[in-house]
Amino acid sequence: MEKIVNEIATLKAQIAELSKDLKAKESVLKEIGSGTYEGSEHYIVISEATRKTLDMKAVRAKLSRQFIQANTNETSYLTLKIYG
């Protein structure tokens, strides 16, 4: 078990570092703007998109507590946290 715990912690740390590096590189292309960017084996397309989001605070203010409770789903799941 100790080996698995240590391996998971190491992998999560590596993923965090790689994600940081990825976001930085993506930001460089996004700052340039929309377009197609070619590498020697791959290409990346940056395009503008629109997203709609629901303001849940405003929804909750307009709906009754009973309605919200009646339409709320509860799901159990396992979570993993690393300490140390």
Side-chain angles (χ1 to χ4, degrees):
M1 219 31 89
E2 182 179 332
K3 181 180 177 191
I4 291 173
V5 169
N6 290 337
E7 288 174 352
I8 288 171
T10 299
L11 288 169
K12 282 197 167 271
Q14 290 172 343
I15 290 168
E17 192 61 36
L18 288 170
S19 292
K20 183 179 171 184
D21 190 31
L22 174 62
K23 287 181 187 205
K25 287 176 174 40
E26 287 175 340
S27 289
V28 170
L29 288 182
K30 287 179 180 178
E31 285 176 17
I32 296 169
S34 299
T36 301
Y37 303 95
E38 296 185 26
S40 59
E41 298 178 25
H42 307 281
Y43 68 94
I44 293 174
V45 176
I46 306 240
S47 55
E48 190 171 331
T50 302
R51 176 186 323 167
K52 292 183 179 183
T53 58
L54 182 61
D55 181 351
M56 289 306 297
K57 188 174 182 178
V59 169
R60 287 184 189 100
K62 293 184 189 271
L63 296 176
S64 71
R65 183 177 191 82
Q66 288 175 326
F67 180 87
I68 292 170
Q69 287 178 338
N71 292 283
T72 298
N73 297 320
E74 187 173 317
T75 307
S76 295
Y77 62 95
L78 295 174
T79 184
L80 185 146
K81 294 183 182 179
I82 299 175
Y83 300 95

